[in-house]
Amino acid sequence: MAEEFLRIDKLVKAFGGNQVVKGVDLSFNKGEFVSLLGPSGCGKTTILRMIAGFERPDSGRILVEGKDISGLAPNQRKIGMVFQAYALFPNMNVADNIGFGLKIAGMPKPQREARTEEMLQLIGLSGYGKRYPFELSGGQQQRVALARALAPSPRMLLLDEPLSALDAKIRVSLREQIRQIQRELGITTVFVTHDQEEALSISDRIVVLNTGNVEQFGQPFEIYNRPQTRFVATFVGTLNTLNATVADAGAKTVTLGGTTVTIPALPASARNGEAVALTMRPEAVSLANGATRDIVLDGKVAEVSFLGSVIRLKVDLGDNAVNLDTFNDQRTPPPAHGAPVRIGIASSDVLVLER
Amino acid sequence: MKPAKLWSWLIFAFGAAYFIVPLLATFEFSLRIRREGYTFDAYTSVFSDGRFQASFSYSLIVGVCAILAGLLIVVPAAYYVRLRAPHLRPIIEFITLLPLVIPAIILVFGYIRMYNTSSPLPLLGTNLGTDILLTLAYVALALPYMYRAVDTGLRTIDVQTLTEAANILGANQATIIAKVIFPNIIVAVLSGAFLTLAIVIGEFTIASLLNRQVFGVYMQNVGANRAFEPAALAVISFVITWGAMGMIQLLARFAPKTARRD
């Protein structure tokens, strides 16, 4: 069984009467990479700042390895943190920035220099020690900020949207580098982001937050494929919603686009004649010609978006519309706008959200 | 040349003449101590006067002390207001502006009343006490300039994030101010310091009523008894003040090195 490292226990925080964290309970394992994912104002940054010690919880506790750290000042917590705005000290060169925490801790100069060099190698910036922050690109600055946070060997790493200020390509390469370094060091890491793709690609587990509450806590595969709430289903990834009517609740059948189909996920609480929303991911829908899919619907191509390796089509089904993703095939151009198409959906991929 | 441009130049020339002509005239007059021609004798006479050296050194020492005391008060105060109590900013700004509104004569009479030999804190009873009082009076006098300079410096950096970054790396508040905040606003701090120095070098009212022989008081004494030396002193005083202003400009050139770039 995995060893519990960080425990957040009934954490509550309000700012001026507005409760932004509402009794959050979470438990993270040692060496785990956990993302706090949610829209603006969901409380993710506030939770991170309470772990760091920059905000005091109104109630609840934060325990690291079983010890309550809620009352400790940030400089006593032995936590490393990387900020969205890099926060490198402009008056210090790269080496001095990385060595700052070590100097504060009283590490002698020779060891400090050796550790700084080790960190520079870790982030792939050997030879950059004498440069000043303003001489570096955004990505390089954030790597230095990561090295600075890791240099004093903290027991935990907090990342506060560290990739938001960077352009798309650097964001992807830096997130891979962060993950690789995190695995190498085995350091427990909490990563705050509002970017679901980032969270899904980098995390061992994801906490999806909404209005100060935990909506779901699980592995990226579970979060994406088995969302437990409507919010998670709609916030994480793209979701198609088809309006249908329950035909026979006992037989789990619904009427969709004039045809009756069986939906295994239809809840037992459904009543005959009730309107339900059938949801599915774009990749669960295929350009049918679809003998292998048990729901087959006819429509017209309303939009074609060429995304490189994937082509996303929006198909108009009359009273519904559905997005579907299909892999780019060099030999077969995508259907044209307005072309009639037949789509297929596996009923086992359909989730039912109450309307 | 376009008429609009011509007018701009004319207005500029008129403004420049308004400032420069009296200065040039004073300088020219200061060189006319001898009938046979221009000499720097007035300057030699001033520089070799023991009272000049004593009053100038005294003003310089009081000025440096006022700068240090001002920095010790203003930097942590401005930092704290920006970081933890932004709602107090209008009140602090109002307080720092008071020395501009209250004339120095009122301030010094207040000091004399508060700190005379029969008061609970008789600072005026000793020379050292009076020196301290004079220094603190200059701190108050320079407060509007010092606070604004430091606050402007703090505005150019992300005070909160830098503080948090240093804090989580183990630094306490004093270390954060000394190692992270102060070095990043040093250019602004130095401009505040030079402004303070310029004010202190020319100050007369407070020092005179506290019976301190500062440079301003010496200038007044010389002005009352001599003809050419006061002109030389006025030019020297201008050179010092402008030198201080020039230093601010020079230091501003170093600003980009520490500026935040996103």
Side-chain angles (χ1 to χ4, degrees):
Chain A
M1 194 179 145
E3 186 187 343
E4 183 185 73
F5 181 80
L6 172 69
R7 184 176 185 77
I8 292 171
D9 190 17
K10 298 183 185 62
L11 208 61
V12 175
K13 179 72 185 174
F15 292 110
N18 177 30
Q19 208 171 56
V20 291
V21 178
K22 301 171 180 168
V24 166
D25 286 306
L26 290 167
S27 170
F28 302 163
N29 297 327
K30 198 169 179 65
E32 200 175 20
F33 194 114
V34 180
S35 291
L36 305 182
L37 174 67
S40 297
C42 71
K44 56 188 189 296
T45 300
T46 308
I47 293 175
L48 193 83
R49 290 176 62 79
M50 285 193 279
I51 299 172
F54 298 136
E55 304 287 351
R56 285 269 164 123
D58 294 339
S59 65
R61 296 182 308 161
I62 297 164
L63 297 107
V64 175
E65 292 177 312
K67 286 184 189 140
D68 190 356
I69 61 161
S70 315
L72 294 181
N75 58 349
Q76 297 167 328
R77 295 193 178 198
K78 296 195 174 90
I79 289 174
M81 185 158 171
V82 177
F83 298 82
Q84 183 181 350
Y86 322 136
L88 293 180
F89 307 131
N91 57 309
M92 297 179 202
N93 63 28
V94 167
D96 290 342
N97 262 286
I98 296 174
F100 184 82
L102 306 172
K103 200 172 178 183
I104 296 288
M107 185 184 273
K109 201 174 175 192
Q111 282 101 308
R112 201 166 72 221
E113 284 175 351
R115 177 72 176 156
T116 302
E117 188 47 44
E118 192 188 328
M119 285 292 115
L120 281 169
Q121 279 174 11
L122 183 73
I123 57 165
L125 286 178
S126 281
Y128 280 69
K130 294 278 175 245
R131 296 207 188 176
Y132 278 85
F134 74 88
E135 295 173 300
L136 305 178
S137 70
Q140 288 170 333
Q141 287 190 55
Q142 202 55 300
R143 277 146 73 191
V144 174
L146 179 68
R148 183 181 66 176
L150 291 170
S153 309
R155 51 184 175 175
M156 187 182 359
L157 180 64
L158 307 178
L159 306 168
D160 184 10
E161 306 209 30
L163 308 171
S164 308
L166 304 170
D167 58 53
K169 255 193 168 165
I170 294 170
R171 210 154 55 210
V172 172
S173 70
L174 187 54
R175 88 179 175 215
E176 284 165 2
Q177 198 179 6
I178 289 175
R179 183 58 163 142
Q180 187 199 331
I181 290 172
Q182 186 271 338
R183 273 194 217 278
E184 226 168 272
L185 302 177
I187 184 169
T188 310
T189 302
V190 185
F191 177 74
V192 161
T193 182
H194 61 266
D195 185 330
Q196 35 155 319
E197 187 202 323
E198 225 164 73
L200 290 168
S201 64
I202 203 172
S203 319
D204 288 319
R205 286 196 293 167
I206 298 172
V207 182
V208 184
L209 289 150
N210 184 33
T211 60
N213 293 303
V214 174
E215 292 274 341
Q216 192 171 346
F217 184 19
Q219 292 174 355
F221 184 83
E222 291 168 357
I223 298 279
Y224 188 78
N225 293 309
R226 287 190 275 283
Q228 284 169 3
T229 66
R230 174 179 276 267
F231 174 80
V232 176
T234 51
F235 183 74
V236 180
T238 307
L239 199 70
N240 287 306
T241 305
L242 300 179
N243 298 319
T245 310
V246 178
D248 183 345
K252 293 190 181 284
T253 58
V254 300
T255 310
L256 175 66
T259 58
T260 301
V261 292
T262 305
I263 304 295
L266 196 70
S269 59
R271 298 273 169 270
N272 289 352
E274 186 187 356
V276 287
L278 307 182
T279 63
M280 76 250 21
R281 300 291 183 195
E283 62 272 24
V285 185
S286 64
L287 273 180
N289 312 332
T292 57
R293 307 297 169 104
D294 45 1
I295 303 172
V296 177
L297 300 164
D298 290 311
K300 275 195 302 192
V301 174
E303 270 176 44
V304 183
S305 307
F306 188 75
L307 306 174
S309 60
V310 169
I311 297 163
R312 175 160 291 181
L313 302 177
K314 185 174 185 179
V315 178
D316 185 0
L317 300 170
D319 51 352
N320 281 308
V322 69
N323 285 306
L324 72 90
D325 286 350
T326 176
F327 280 115
N328 176 32
D329 179 351
Q330 291 181 41
R331 287 162 305 234
T332 319
H337 181 268
V341 284
R342 174 164 286 182
I343 62 164
I345 304 164
S347 59
S348 56
D349 289 340
V350 175
L351 297 167
V352 180
L353 298 177
E354 285 168 31
R355 296 174 73 186
Chain B
M1 191 181 279
K2 284 180 184 173
K5 215 171 183 182
L6 183 69
W7 273 108
S8 316
W9 275 108
L10 274 175
I11 293 167
F12 173 76
F14 177 75
Y18 182 79
F19 286 105
I20 292 168
V21 170
L23 255 181
L24 286 177
T26 309
F27 178 63
E28 194 266 348
F29 181 71
S30 71
L31 301 178
R32 282 168 49 187
I33 197 165
R34 290 187 187 280
R35 285 178 185 218
E36 53 266 34
Y38 290 142
T39 70
F40 282 96
D41 286 3
Y43 293 88
T44 315
S45 159
V46 164
F47 285 127
S48 58
D49 186 351
R51 288 178 304 156
F52 167 80
Q53 291 155 13
S55 65
F56 189 74
S57 322
Y58 180 72
S59 281
L60 214 54
I61 291 166
V62 172
V64 170
C65 291
I67 289 165
L68 294 177
L71 286 180
L72 279 174
I73 296 166
V74 169
V75 173
Y79 168 73
Y80 181 81
V81 167
R82 196 153 267 281
L83 191 65
R84 299 256 178 267
H87 58 281
L88 289 179
R89 224 165 144 230
I91 300 167
I92 300 289
E93 290 211 345
F94 175 75
I95 292 170
T96 59
L97 278 176
L98 283 179
L100 287 181
V101 184
I102 300 168
I105 189 92
I106 307 254
L107 196 68
V108 73
F109 275 123
Y111 285 153
I112 290 168
R113 200 172 156 72
M114 283 289 293
Y115 304 111
N116 62 40
T117 46
S118 53
S119 72
L121 190 61
L123 283 177
L124 293 170
T126 61
N127 273 332
L128 180 65
T130 314
D131 292 341
I132 291 170
L133 196 58
L134 183 68
T135 307
L136 293 178
Y138 287 161
V139 170
L141 221 54
L143 203 56
Y145 310 100
M146 189 59 105
Y147 182 82
R148 257 146 208 80
V150 170
D151 196 47
T152 306
L154 289 173
R155 212 174 293 172
T156 62
I157 57 172
D158 186 346
V159 174
Q160 186 176 348
T161 314
L162 289 179
T163 299
E164 289 176 352
N167 197 205
I168 201 133
L169 286 165
N172 58 28
Q173 286 297 315
T175 311
I176 293 169
I177 293 180
K179 299 265 174 69
V180 176
I181 302 299
F182 192 79
N184 283 306
I185 57 165
I186 189 79
V187 173
V189 164
L190 285 173
S191 50
F194 282 117
L195 275 171
T196 306
L197 197 65
I199 292 165
V200 171
I201 292 294
E203 205 284 329
F204 169 78
T205 317
I206 296 175
S208 168
L209 284 161
L210 291 179
N211 198 24
R212 297 286 94 183
Q213 293 305 309
V214 298
F215 187 59
V217 172
Y218 170 73
M219 277 207 293
Q220 192 273 335
N221 282 337
V222 172
N225 304 310
R226 307 270 187 88
F228 297 96
E229 282 83 350
L233 274 173
V235 172
I236 292 167
S237 171
F238 264 111
V239 168
I240 292 165
T241 312
W242 285 17
M245 299 297 154
M247 285 304 286
I248 296 171
Q249 295 298 321
L250 198 67
L251 286 166
R253 291 175 181 233
F254 292 101
K257 195 177 175 186
T258 56
R260 186 163 64 108
R261 305 243 176 122
D262 284 331

